[in-house]
Amino acid sequence: MTVSVTDALAAAADAARLAPSVHNTQPWRWVVHGDRMELFAVPDRQLREQDPDGRLMVLSCGAALHHALVGLAAEGWTGRVERPAAEPLAVVYAEKHEPADPHTMQRMQLLRVRHTDRRAVSEEPVASEVRQALVDAARAHGAQLHVLDRDQVLQLAVMIEHSGAAEQQDERMRAETATWVGGARPEGTGVPDAAIPSELPLTTVAERDFGVAGTLSAGPGHDNAAAYAVLYGDGDEPMDWLAAGEALSELWLSATALGAAVLPLSSPVELDFSRQALRRMLGDVGYPYLVLRLGTSDPDHAGPPHTPRLPAEEVIEIAG
Ligand SMILES: Cc1cc2nc3c(=O)[nH]c(=O)nc-3n(C[C@H](O)[C@H](O)[C@H](O)COP(=O)(O)O)c2cc1C
């Protein structure tokens, strides 16, 4: 049975609810009109202290846009995207119907499986073919992924120590984190205790300290086998952040398919001084959007449960 184009777009917007977002803020809203739908950022769910320019908000919307296109393809529709420079951030047109192939359906499954795992990574380093696949996935969306060498990892560790400490010392930032993180999160947003390690794992580069001890067992050992990468690109405007979010989603789905774990670390891009330091570390060749820890998923232990999501009616409007 062929679903109507409007139903297919609504299903795609529904699939986009699974996208990752900073502090699980889900700062997006879809308006479906017949054969097209518009994507808007929702400033009410922007992190005003940690993300005053909206960089991470728009990046999260880009991940939702990519998820929506995967969802649309699984409904058997090809999407064409226009990215106006202002609001809406994107308009998705459902153009041509053709039955979804097994690869498309597998990508839809990957949306459901992908999640953030803050446990220490396993001792198996990320294979070079996997790294290359992630670099290629980012490039397909116009972004670059630079995997750091050993010296750069040590520089990153220092940067994150400084950015993390600066955020911890800022009362308003601490209060903002506390609004979104910790507890059971029954209202459908934020990061629940079950996704936060009970103790920060031993790492070279510190994980984000959310200021609460969660209930996730971080696992033994030191994550020596983790690799670190910077997602970056040519511009530092909202359209570049949107594309970076699409790249993040694409590479995270590839990683999930290949048994690799991705953990975004955004504190160094939240503060001007550490974002500039990251840029200098890249040799001033581009603008950093996000730092990622890459590792091999632990095949023996299931990761944390899925984080909550807002109900569809809060993020999807069917206008006709
Ligand atoms: C732009 C962006 C920045 C993020 N920054 C961090 C971070 O600094 N530390 C962290 O532990 N998780 C970070 N995350 C992961 C989110 O907290 C996670 O995607 C969200 O809680 C939803 O959970 P899920 O990915 O398991 O679906 C980030 C995600 C995105 C998209």
Side-chain angles (χ1 to χ4, degrees), residues 18 20-24 56 59-60 114-116 118 191 208 210 248 252 263-267 290 307 309:
L18 300 173
S21 58
V22 62
H23 292 5
N24 200 19
L56 300 173
L59 208 147
S60 302
R114 183 218 59 81
H115 67 297
T116 303
R118 299 180 180 83
V191 186
R208 187 177 202 117
F210 286 117
L248 173 70
W252 208 333
L263 173 61
L265 299 173
S266 53
S267 84
L290 201 57
T307 46
R309 290 297 185 269

Side-chain angles (χ1 to χ4, degrees), residues 117-130:
D117 190 345
R118 299 180 180 83
R119 296 174 302 162
V121 298
S122 84
E123 286 170 14
E124 186 71 34
V126 182
S128 58
E129 312 84 78
V130 176

Side-chain angles (χ1 to χ4, degrees), residues 276-299:
Q276 300 309 335
L278 264 182
R279 181 161 150 74
R280 281 195 298 277
M281 188 173 77
L282 294 172
D284 284 329
V285 292
Y287 295 90
Y289 306 131
L290 201 57
V291 173
L292 303 176
R293 183 194 72 174
L294 308 174
T296 301
S297 306
D298 183 347

